[in-house]
Amino acid sequence: MKSWGGRFAAQPDASAADFGRSIEIDAELAMEDIAGSLAHVAGLLRAGLLTPAEAEAIGGGLRSIADDVRDGSIVWDPAHEDIHMNVEMALAARIGPVAGKLHTGRSRNDQVATDLRLFLRRRIDDIDTAAFGLERALVSLALVHRDAVMPGHTHVQPAQPVLFAHHLLAYVEMLERDRGRFADALKRADLSPLGSGALAGAGFALDREATAEALGFSGVTHNSIDAVGDRDPVVESISAAALTMAHLSRLAEEIVWWTNPNFGFVRPADAWSTGSSMMPNKRNPDAAELIRGRTARVMGHLVTALTMLKGIMNTTTIIMIIIYAQLICTY
Amino acid sequence: MKSWGGRFAAQPDASAADFGRSIEIDAELAMEDIAGSLAHVAGLLRAGLLTPAEAEAIGGGLRSIADDVRDGSIVWDPAHEDIHMNVEMALAARIGPVAGKLHTGRSRNDQVATDLRLFLRRRIDDIDTAAFGLERALVSLALVHRDAVMPGHTHVQPAQPVLFAHHLLAYVEMLERDRGRFADALKRADLSPLGSGALAGAGFALDREATAEALGFSGVTHNSIDAVGDRDPVVESISAAALTMAHLSRLAEEIVWWTNPNFGFVRPADAWSTGSSMMPNKRNPDAAELIRGRTARVMGHLVTALTMLKGIMNTTTIIMIIIYAQLICTY
Amino acid sequence: MKSWGGRFAAQPDASAADFGRSIEIDAELAMEDIAGSLAHVAGLLRAGLLTPAEAEAIGGGLRSIADDVRDGSIVWDPAHEDIHMNVEMALAARIGPVAGKLHTGRSRNDQVATDLRLFLRRRIDDIDTAAFGLERALVSLALVHRDAVMPGHTHVQPAQPVLFAHHLLAYVEMLERDRGRFADALKRADLSPLGSGALAGAGFALDREATAEALGFSGVTHNSIDAVGDRDPVVESISAAALTMAHLSRLAEEIVWWTNPNFGFVRPADAWSTGSSMMPNKRNPDAAELIRGRTARVMGHLVTALTMLKGIMNTTTIIMIIIYAQLICTY
Amino acid sequence: MKSWGGRFAAQPDASAADFGRSIEIDAELAMEDIAGSLAHVAGLLRAGLLTPAEAEAIGGGLRSIADDVRDGSIVWDPAHEDIHMNVEMALAARIGPVAGKLHTGRSRNDQVATDLRLFLRRRIDDIDTAAFGLERALVSLALVHRDAVMPGHTHVQPAQPVLFAHHLLAYVEMLERDRGRFADALKRADLSPLGSGALAGAGFALDREATAEALGFSGVTHNSIDAVGDRDPVVESISAAALTMAHLSRLAEEIVWWTNPNFGFVRPADAWSTGSSMMPNKRNPDAAELIRGRTARVMGHLVTALTMLKGIMNTTTIIMIIIYAQLICTY
């Protein structure tokens, strides 16, 4: 537990520390935090603010932490409130006082803003890959059943015969729009906030463009006050996720009803159904049902994120939302 | 009140008709409905499904209705449930039975989908103009006060001095992203659904591309089932509106606090303040406060729209959301 | 358009007035506003703050306005921003300057808080009557079909046979809980805020208990700061409405699916169905579908109300929510 | 991973099992699950469906699992999807095949419904204790500063002087209403669903009232279809939580602004503030800020819960919401 130094008479209260702790959640940002720091170290070296030896020491320490994150051997210390503090403390433990030089020309605010954008980029990449996989699965299924005709419905009532393939390809259209929305969110988030400081810029002449390029950003943010406070990418991504889930929920709902023997259009694979010991006649399409519930969760996250954005935000809690939002991919 | 014809023994129940009526709300779509019909008439003429005389009669009737909408002289009949039925009935009253030929090759479903997209285009144009106007106002204010310094805040506590102009320009960054989001929503909605029929396509060979071009769309939708059911543009627009309002709310909140004499940074113009007869010392920045309340409404609309989308949608009610969403521009 | 008097150099800006206007919406509160004023007049007379002649003049004027509201002949003036200002202006026009004495010992803040509670009481009474009517309808239907057996479902799959009556009576249980929630909301709102002033109490010794009793409240609020700002009754009522609508939506969803010929459990009455000119086979249970959409709207209103409550509220906008919430009864 | 038996050819798919797993979340229900089972065992014994020896064996096994949960030594197995399956498997491992007799006359559905109600009761008790503690803290503070006068605000502008104590006691009024809402939610949830089976009741004559009494319920539910599907208590509790958080958020927002040196009304204790290495002048009231963010999360949970309730629910996911909702107490 850190003290805020001489001006503060007392140590932080234990329950205050508990209340503010986010390491259980933002540990997910570890690799992004390290990547951002490595790029910053290169910038400090270029600017002559670190000697080659210092840069090597800090870089080596960060890479060794990254190795331990990657192989799962790292253990974060709940006494340090968040992932940023944990990485700093681990670094100091490994390389000693030179670790403190990593602070030069960077504030926690532009560091967190950078981590968030890197994290979103990774998650959106994963989501896009999954969406493309689903599109291919739907197209394959459409090809296999290219001649199958089914009743098209409006208002849940049979309306006109349609090709089953045509019905499936409607979802491909939806997924294409969904992917476009995620790509547009990423496009707007693709600028490096590093160099924005706490809100008024950094006190050192660092080459922001070079650092941005090293991190794979297409450019740098233009206004430091906006850059450190901008959580639009989070909300925009969750909005895209909510629409995606609405589409998946619609598909899931169809599967659930079509499984009902009064329809009998589809029969879920054994491996994806659950039964009931009391009712051996049952064959429940559980996964499809779960998707509908997950949709409700993403909607809730969107409300949370927008409500936070409306007020004045706290970094830690907004990270929680992002972590939640990733659920749309892994669940 | 219309009857559904011979197969139905009874007239619609009066309270059922009341329950389903949307004309008070969707009257807003009148001009878009007429524009869509005029383009469809041209298409029917090209395809030889209308004679030149018929096309002239229907077109003339539609244009005369448009004139009456424009000058405010039209009176819609609540006995007809929605704007589409009202326009049809007004057309029949003006030109007689030939009005019925407007139905050829078009369903209510692709008609409504087209109207919605045209309506969104108009609203987004209005919103973009308003956002650009606000950007210019902020830049002008920044220029006037280019040397003013103010305390920059983090966590609502003074942090570092910043230029007032820098603070204002942060909002220009936000508005630029907001405009980008609306533009991206429009880009995805810029395809004509006409020709999709009820869900399985139209029964006549109409030139969809020509009609799309006449309506100013950049192309046509690719899957009829998706096209008639796609309400993504509505949700995506309200999502963009919710983020925009979150930004405006943040600005409004600053104005409210800065007006407080403990800050005294700004003094609202008399013409934009309200006082109190009981408390002559008061000077309330009412408009700024109202913006915060309006933000809550747009958030509510977003939840409404997403919840509707998750289930199986009803055209009438989704229109209500769009009409609401336009509030972000007019209020 | 009113001026705020000598201290303010300028008249309110026209667009500021437009922005703040709520008369189109809060006109719904007219009868409650007048009832609150009549009780206040009686209190002023008891306290000797009005002469019998003044009380008679003001009371007579208010009753004549109430008569015009009741028979629909009143026309509100959009130049006066809300219903409270409109009633005041109408009163002054009818009885002259003595109308101004109605202000004695009352602020707009405790007046609005009182109107809201009276309005909620009326709406909740209406909702309770409607809910009880639905319960009776379900019980009657259960009696008529007391021997009918249907497949009970879990996970949308047939599970065990149940009595149709048993299924219907499940909804009676839900409605009983819903009615309990509305009654509990009313119980907590059943205290008169009159006498709380703007926030620090009234400057005159008025008998708050007597006025509360005259308005049918069970007592008076205890803390003036809380009383003028308390919008809990609104949010609690919309929460109850959201749960009620979730139940009705579940029933509506069953009706929609059971109407599908693959189930064929129910056949909607002609008077409550819509067909399609293109598809004469259709029989759409429109009303049931609309209920699902209305549920989404109430959920949106709940988010709006909670978001407003979280910030510092504006009276006008919160009224809009209440008016919306009443939709659950009339639609 | 369990198989659904002979009718199902294949084992559950590994990713399907991952997707449906909830043990990480619903482990929180362990003590309630065991308490419900112990009461059920007593009922089976009374009904002669278990011999005393069997009841003793099962009861002893359950109590030994409870001991391990209490001292933190239990390790749940992620191969078993939820807490109910985990407890069953642990029981079988400890006492052998007789464990299977616990299934008699009970379905997973009425078991889960019972667990949820017991869990809510415990959480609401905790919340009520915390709310009462806050009330006492506010009253104590009001007593200490009984003569302090502060500017009362409306519209964020100073309005009239008020006692600081009066301001604090306004929050006591709010908290009293909040406690009333939780109590009302509990009142409606205070009925035992045990004996409702999967949805159509249990196949054995068990004394439902006796089991309800053993679990501390005031009575039994009346309709089995309603009882197994009723998640109203969850939504009603989260609604009460959302209003409570709105009140706490309002208090927190005041603390945040009053800490600003332009107000300087309050000075957060060192132990509850954070500073900044870059800006030694800072004293951030972090805990107050976090409360505002937590409010947004509870609002999101409410939307999630209502959206789930609107559709057809899945038990596992609804449990997640409850677990989240408890955050309002522990954070």
mmCIF file of all heavy atoms in Angstrom, chain A residues 98-129:
data_model
loop_
_atom_site.group_PDB
_atom_site.id
_atom_site.type_symbol
_atom_site.label_atom_id
_atom_site.label_comp_id
_atom_site.label_asym_id
_atom_site.label_seq_id
_atom_site.Cartn_x
_atom_site.Cartn_y
_atom_site.Cartn_z
ATOM 1 N N VAL A 98 16.554 2.181 -11.020
ATOM 2 C CA VAL A 98 16.493 2.739 -12.376
ATOM 3 C C VAL A 98 15.074 2.604 -12.960
ATOM 4 O O VAL A 98 14.685 3.337 -13.869
ATOM 5 C CB VAL A 98 17.548 2.073 -13.297
ATOM 6 C CG1 VAL A 98 17.166 0.613 -13.556
ATOM 7 C CG2 VAL A 98 17.699 2.837 -14.612
ATOM 8 N N ALA A 99 14.301 1.686 -12.419
ATOM 9 C CA ALA A 99 12.913 1.498 -12.852
ATOM 10 C C ALA A 99 12.138 2.811 -12.792
ATOM 11 O O ALA A 99 11.252 3.081 -13.616
ATOM 12 C CB ALA A 99 12.219 0.441 -11.989
ATOM 13 N N GLY A 100 12.463 3.653 -11.811
ATOM 14 C CA GLY A 100 11.732 4.905 -11.625
ATOM 15 C C GLY A 100 11.829 5.837 -12.813
ATOM 16 O O GLY A 100 10.976 6.699 -13.017
ATOM 17 N N LYS A 101 12.882 5.671 -13.646
ATOM 18 C CA LYS A 101 13.059 6.575 -14.791
ATOM 19 C C LYS A 101 11.998 6.351 -15.873
ATOM 20 O O LYS A 101 11.873 7.159 -16.802
ATOM 21 C CB LYS A 101 14.465 6.393 -15.384
ATOM 22 C CG LYS A 101 15.562 6.820 -14.394
ATOM 23 C CD LYS A 101 16.774 7.361 -15.118
ATOM 24 C CE LYS A 101 17.731 8.021 -14.110
ATOM 25 N NZ LYS A 101 18.911 8.590 -14.787
ATOM 26 N N LEU A 102 11.293 5.264 -15.773
ATOM 27 C CA LEU A 102 10.220 5.003 -16.745
ATOM 28 C C LEU A 102 9.128 6.069 -16.652
ATOM 29 O O LEU A 102 8.382 6.312 -17.605
ATOM 30 C CB LEU A 102 9.634 3.607 -16.472
ATOM 31 C CG LEU A 102 8.561 3.054 -17.392
ATOM 32 C CD1 LEU A 102 9.008 3.056 -18.846
ATOM 33 C CD2 LEU A 102 8.198 1.628 -16.977
ATOM 34 N N HIS A 103 9.026 6.727 -15.483
ATOM 35 C CA HIS A 103 8.030 7.775 -15.281
ATOM 36 C C HIS A 103 8.272 9.022 -16.114
ATOM 37 O O HIS A 103 7.355 9.816 -16.327
ATOM 38 C CB HIS A 103 8.031 8.219 -13.806
ATOM 39 C CG HIS A 103 7.187 7.374 -12.934
ATOM 40 N ND1 HIS A 103 5.858 7.139 -13.181
ATOM 41 C CD2 HIS A 103 7.481 6.703 -11.792
ATOM 42 C CE1 HIS A 103 5.374 6.366 -12.244
ATOM 43 N NE2 HIS A 103 6.338 6.065 -11.393
ATOM 44 N N THR A 104 9.544 9.205 -16.542
ATOM 45 C CA THR A 104 9.900 10.463 -17.202
ATOM 46 C C THR A 104 8.990 10.738 -18.401
ATOM 47 O O THR A 104 8.845 9.884 -19.279
ATOM 48 C CB THR A 104 11.366 10.389 -17.700
ATOM 49 O OG1 THR A 104 12.164 9.844 -16.649
ATOM 50 C CG2 THR A 104 11.868 11.767 -18.102
ATOM 51 N N GLY A 105 8.377 11.911 -18.423
ATOM 52 C CA GLY A 105 7.602 12.331 -19.592
ATOM 53 C C GLY A 105 6.323 11.558 -19.812
ATOM 54 O O GLY A 105 5.745 11.594 -20.908
ATOM 55 N N ARG A 106 5.874 10.859 -18.800
ATOM 56 C CA ARG A 106 4.615 10.117 -18.961
ATOM 57 C C ARG A 106 3.818 10.239 -17.667
ATOM 58 O O ARG A 106 4.410 10.254 -16.578
ATOM 59 C CB ARG A 106 4.907 8.646 -19.270
ATOM 60 C CG ARG A 106 3.685 7.895 -19.770
ATOM 61 C CD ARG A 106 4.025 6.476 -20.224
ATOM 62 N NE ARG A 106 4.519 5.647 -19.130
ATOM 63 C CZ ARG A 106 4.576 4.316 -19.166
ATOM 64 N NH1 ARG A 106 4.232 3.657 -20.268
ATOM 65 N NH2 ARG A 106 5.025 3.635 -18.136
ATOM 66 N N SER A 107 2.531 10.330 -17.797
ATOM 67 C CA SER A 107 1.647 10.386 -16.632
ATOM 68 C C SER A 107 0.821 9.113 -16.625
ATOM 69 O O SER A 107 0.709 8.404 -17.629
ATOM 70 C CB SER A 107 0.728 11.609 -16.751
ATOM 71 O OG SER A 107 -0.499 11.387 -16.103
ATOM 72 N N ARG A 108 0.243 8.803 -15.468
ATOM 73 C CA ARG A 108 -0.656 7.650 -15.443
ATOM 74 C C ARG A 108 -1.811 7.853 -16.434
ATOM 75 O O ARG A 108 -2.305 6.888 -17.015
ATOM 76 C CB ARG A 108 -1.212 7.463 -14.020
ATOM 77 C CG ARG A 108 -2.080 6.264 -13.868
ATOM 78 C CD ARG A 108 -1.316 4.949 -13.935
ATOM 79 N NE ARG A 108 -0.741 4.546 -12.670
ATOM 80 C CZ ARG A 108 0.515 4.144 -12.510
ATOM 81 N NH1 ARG A 108 1.334 4.075 -13.538
ATOM 82 N NH2 ARG A 108 0.975 3.784 -11.326
ATOM 83 N N ASN A 109 -2.201 9.089 -16.645
ATOM 84 C CA ASN A 109 -3.373 9.334 -17.498
ATOM 85 C C ASN A 109 -3.136 8.984 -18.964
ATOM 86 O O ASN A 109 -3.965 8.317 -19.594
ATOM 87 C CB ASN A 109 -3.816 10.794 -17.368
ATOM 88 C CG ASN A 109 -4.477 11.070 -16.030
ATOM 89 O OD1 ASN A 109 -4.532 10.204 -15.157
ATOM 90 N ND2 ASN A 109 -4.986 12.283 -15.844
ATOM 91 N N ASP A 110 -2.017 9.434 -19.534
ATOM 92 C CA ASP A 110 -1.804 9.067 -20.947
ATOM 93 C C ASP A 110 -1.395 7.598 -21.080
ATOM 94 O O ASP A 110 -1.668 6.962 -22.096
ATOM 95 C CB ASP A 110 -0.846 10.029 -21.687
ATOM 96 C CG ASP A 110 0.514 10.171 -21.036
ATOM 97 O OD1 ASP A 110 0.724 9.612 -19.939
ATOM 98 O OD2 ASP A 110 1.373 10.857 -21.619
ATOM 99 N N GLN A 111 -0.791 7.060 -20.021
ATOM 100 C CA GLN A 111 -0.452 5.632 -20.028
ATOM 101 C C GLN A 111 -1.719 4.771 -20.097
ATOM 102 O O GLN A 111 -1.837 3.865 -20.932
ATOM 103 C CB GLN A 111 0.341 5.304 -18.761
ATOM 104 C CG GLN A 111 0.741 3.833 -18.625
ATOM 105 C CD GLN A 111 1.442 3.550 -17.298
ATOM 106 O OE1 GLN A 111 1.629 4.444 -16.472
ATOM 107 N NE2 GLN A 111 1.839 2.303 -17.108
ATOM 108 N N VAL A 112 -2.685 5.074 -19.231
ATOM 109 C CA VAL A 112 -3.929 4.298 -19.219
ATOM 110 C C VAL A 112 -4.672 4.446 -20.539
ATOM 111 O O VAL A 112 -5.189 3.467 -21.106
ATOM 112 C CB VAL A 112 -4.824 4.742 -18.036
ATOM 113 C CG1 VAL A 112 -6.233 4.190 -18.185
ATOM 114 C CG2 VAL A 112 -4.218 4.288 -16.714
ATOM 115 N N ALA A 113 -4.735 5.686 -21.062
ATOM 116 C CA ALA A 113 -5.437 5.909 -22.330
ATOM 117 C C ALA A 113 -4.811 5.076 -23.450
ATOM 118 O O ALA A 113 -5.513 4.542 -24.316
ATOM 119 C CB ALA A 113 -5.432 7.396 -22.680
ATOM 120 N N THR A 114 -3.486 4.967 -23.417
ATOM 121 C CA THR A 114 -2.793 4.174 -24.433
ATOM 122 C C THR A 114 -3.098 2.686 -24.267
ATOM 123 O O THR A 114 -3.407 1.985 -25.242
ATOM 124 C CB THR A 114 -1.269 4.404 -24.338
ATOM 125 O OG1 THR A 114 -1.017 5.807 -24.449
ATOM 126 C CG2 THR A 114 -0.525 3.651 -25.420
ATOM 127 N N ASP A 115 -3.023 2.207 -23.029
ATOM 128 C CA ASP A 115 -3.307 0.794 -22.761
ATOM 129 C C ASP A 115 -4.706 0.415 -23.263
ATOM 130 O O ASP A 115 -4.903 -0.641 -23.878
ATOM 131 C CB ASP A 115 -3.229 0.506 -21.260
ATOM 132 C CG ASP A 115 -1.794 0.539 -20.729
ATOM 133 O OD1 ASP A 115 -0.876 0.904 -21.492
ATOM 134 O OD2 ASP A 115 -1.591 0.213 -19.549
ATOM 135 N N LEU A 116 -5.666 1.278 -22.977
ATOM 136 C CA LEU A 116 -7.044 0.982 -23.377
ATOM 137 C C LEU A 116 -7.172 0.800 -24.883
ATOM 138 O O LEU A 116 -7.849 -0.104 -25.365
ATOM 139 C CB LEU A 116 -7.979 2.119 -22.948
ATOM 140 C CG LEU A 116 -8.309 2.219 -21.474
ATOM 141 C CD1 LEU A 116 -9.304 3.350 -21.242
ATOM 142 C CD2 LEU A 116 -8.900 0.904 -20.969
ATOM 143 N N ARG A 117 -6.533 1.688 -25.616
ATOM 144 C CA ARG A 117 -6.641 1.609 -27.074
ATOM 145 C C ARG A 117 -5.952 0.361 -27.619
ATOM 146 O O ARG A 117 -6.446 -0.283 -28.555
ATOM 147 C CB ARG A 117 -6.046 2.873 -27.698
ATOM 148 C CG ARG A 117 -6.974 4.078 -27.512
ATOM 149 C CD ARG A 117 -6.260 5.386 -27.717
ATOM 150 N NE ARG A 117 -7.122 6.499 -27.355
ATOM 151 C CZ ARG A 117 -7.533 7.442 -28.203
ATOM 152 N NH1 ARG A 117 -7.140 7.406 -29.466
ATOM 153 N NH2 ARG A 117 -8.331 8.410 -27.809
ATOM 154 N N LEU A 118 -4.807 0.029 -27.038
ATOM 155 C CA LEU A 118 -4.117 -1.197 -27.478
ATOM 156 C C LEU A 118 -4.974 -2.427 -27.167
ATOM 157 O O LEU A 118 -5.070 -3.366 -27.963
ATOM 158 C CB LEU A 118 -2.755 -1.313 -26.791
ATOM 159 C CG LEU A 118 -1.710 -0.257 -27.177
ATOM 160 C CD1 LEU A 118 -0.471 -0.403 -26.292
ATOM 161 C CD2 LEU A 118 -1.321 -0.388 -28.651
ATOM 162 N N PHE A 119 -5.587 -2.390 -25.990
ATOM 163 C CA PHE A 119 -6.433 -3.512 -25.587
ATOM 164 C C PHE A 119 -7.639 -3.655 -26.514
ATOM 165 O O PHE A 119 -7.962 -4.760 -26.971
ATOM 166 C CB PHE A 119 -6.887 -3.305 -24.147
ATOM 167 C CG PHE A 119 -7.886 -4.305 -23.661
ATOM 168 C CD1 PHE A 119 -7.481 -5.582 -23.295
ATOM 169 C CD2 PHE A 119 -9.223 -3.972 -23.568
ATOM 170 C CE1 PHE A 119 -8.406 -6.514 -22.847
ATOM 171 C CE2 PHE A 119 -10.154 -4.903 -23.111
ATOM 172 C CZ PHE A 119 -9.744 -6.171 -22.756
ATOM 173 N N LEU A 120 -8.288 -2.532 -26.813
ATOM 174 C CA LEU A 120 -9.438 -2.576 -27.725
ATOM 175 C C LEU A 120 -9.036 -3.132 -29.085
ATOM 176 O O LEU A 120 -9.787 -3.899 -29.696
ATOM 177 C CB LEU A 120 -10.035 -1.180 -27.905
ATOM 178 C CG LEU A 120 -11.002 -0.716 -26.825
ATOM 179 C CD1 LEU A 120 -11.442 0.710 -27.111
ATOM 180 C CD2 LEU A 120 -12.223 -1.637 -26.767
ATOM 181 N N ARG A 121 -7.867 -2.731 -29.568
ATOM 182 C CA ARG A 121 -7.417 -3.221 -30.871
ATOM 183 C C ARG A 121 -7.300 -4.742 -30.862
ATOM 184 O O ARG A 121 -7.765 -5.421 -31.786
ATOM 185 C CB ARG A 121 -6.077 -2.581 -31.218
ATOM 186 C CG ARG A 121 -5.613 -2.900 -32.623
ATOM 187 C CD ARG A 121 -4.420 -2.039 -33.001
ATOM 188 N NE ARG A 121 -3.239 -2.425 -32.247
ATOM 189 C CZ ARG A 121 -2.141 -1.666 -32.160
ATOM 190 N NH1 ARG A 121 -2.083 -0.481 -32.756
ATOM 191 N NH2 ARG A 121 -1.103 -2.082 -31.454
ATOM 192 N N ARG A 122 -6.720 -5.272 -29.794
ATOM 193 C CA ARG A 122 -6.588 -6.731 -29.707
ATOM 194 C C ARG A 122 -7.959 -7.402 -29.642
ATOM 195 O O ARG A 122 -8.226 -8.386 -30.327
ATOM 196 C CB ARG A 122 -5.754 -7.089 -28.465
ATOM 197 C CG ARG A 122 -5.688 -8.579 -28.174
ATOM 198 C CD ARG A 122 -4.519 -8.968 -27.288
ATOM 199 N NE ARG A 122 -4.563 -8.364 -25.962
ATOM 200 C CZ ARG A 122 -5.114 -8.939 -24.885
ATOM 201 N NH1 ARG A 122 -5.682 -10.130 -24.991
ATOM 202 N NH2 ARG A 122 -5.093 -8.341 -23.706
ATOM 203 N N ARG A 123 -8.847 -6.866 -28.813
ATOM 204 C CA ARG A 123 -10.168 -7.490 -28.675
ATOM 205 C C ARG A 123 -10.950 -7.410 -29.982
ATOM 206 O O ARG A 123 -11.640 -8.355 -30.372
ATOM 207 C CB ARG A 123 -10.987 -6.798 -27.580
ATOM 208 C CG ARG A 123 -10.413 -6.871 -26.183
ATOM 209 C CD ARG A 123 -10.128 -8.251 -25.712
ATOM 210 N NE ARG A 123 -11.241 -9.162 -25.933
ATOM 211 C CZ ARG A 123 -11.194 -10.461 -25.744
ATOM 212 N NH1 ARG A 123 -10.067 -11.038 -25.361
ATOM 213 N NH2 ARG A 123 -12.233 -11.219 -25.949
ATOM 214 N N ILE A 124 -10.874 -6.270 -30.651
ATOM 215 C CA ILE A 124 -11.636 -6.122 -31.896
ATOM 216 C C ILE A 124 -11.072 -7.060 -32.957
ATOM 217 O O ILE A 124 -11.821 -7.630 -33.756
ATOM 218 C CB ILE A 124 -11.650 -4.645 -32.349
ATOM 219 C CG1 ILE A 124 -12.535 -3.841 -31.376
ATOM 220 C CG2 ILE A 124 -12.165 -4.511 -33.781
ATOM 221 C CD1 ILE A 124 -12.614 -2.356 -31.675
ATOM 222 N N ASP A 125 -9.767 -7.246 -32.970
ATOM 223 C CA ASP A 125 -9.188 -8.227 -33.901
ATOM 224 C C ASP A 125 -9.783 -9.618 -33.639
ATOM 225 O O ASP A 125 -10.163 -10.334 -34.560
ATOM 226 C CB ASP A 125 -7.662 -8.289 -33.740
ATOM 227 C CG ASP A 125 -6.966 -7.143 -34.447
ATOM 228 O OD1 ASP A 125 -7.633 -6.411 -35.206
ATOM 229 O OD2 ASP A 125 -5.752 -6.957 -34.231
ATOM 230 N N ASP A 126 -9.853 -9.989 -32.377
ATOM 231 C CA ASP A 126 -10.411 -11.305 -32.029
ATOM 232 C C ASP A 126 -11.868 -11.408 -32.462
ATOM 233 O O ASP A 126 -12.320 -12.423 -32.992
ATOM 234 C CB ASP A 126 -10.331 -11.528 -30.508
ATOM 235 C CG ASP A 126 -8.896 -11.687 -30.024
ATOM 236 O OD1 ASP A 126 -7.991 -11.845 -30.868
ATOM 237 O OD2 ASP A 126 -8.689 -11.635 -28.801
ATOM 238 N N ILE A 127 -12.621 -10.336 -32.185
ATOM 239 C CA ILE A 127 -14.046 -10.334 -32.529
ATOM 240 C C ILE A 127 -14.225 -10.456 -34.037
ATOM 241 O O ILE A 127 -15.078 -11.195 -34.526
ATOM 242 C CB ILE A 127 -14.719 -9.050 -31.992
ATOM 243 C CG1 ILE A 127 -14.817 -9.121 -30.462
ATOM 244 C CG2 ILE A 127 -16.096 -8.834 -32.620
ATOM 245 C CD1 ILE A 127 -15.223 -7.813 -29.801
ATOM 246 N N ASP A 128 -13.411 -9.729 -34.781
ATOM 247 C CA ASP A 128 -13.544 -9.770 -36.234
ATOM 248 C C ASP A 128 -13.245 -11.160 -36.775
ATOM 249 O O ASP A 128 -13.929 -11.648 -37.673
ATOM 250 C CB ASP A 128 -12.605 -8.733 -36.875
ATOM 251 C CG ASP A 128 -12.866 -8.600 -38.356
ATOM 252 O OD1 ASP A 128 -13.943 -8.075 -38.700
ATOM 253 O OD2 ASP A 128 -12.031 -9.062 -39.158
ATOM 254 N N THR A 129 -12.234 -11.787 -36.230
ATOM 255 C CA THR A 129 -11.906 -13.150 -36.663
ATOM 256 C C THR A 129 -13.075 -14.099 -36.387
ATOM 257 O O THR A 129 -13.448 -14.919 -37.238
ATOM 258 C CB THR A 129 -10.648 -13.652 -35.917
ATOM 259 O OG1 THR A 129 -9.575 -12.756 -36.187
ATOM 260 C CG2 THR A 129 -10.273 -15.063 -36.352
#
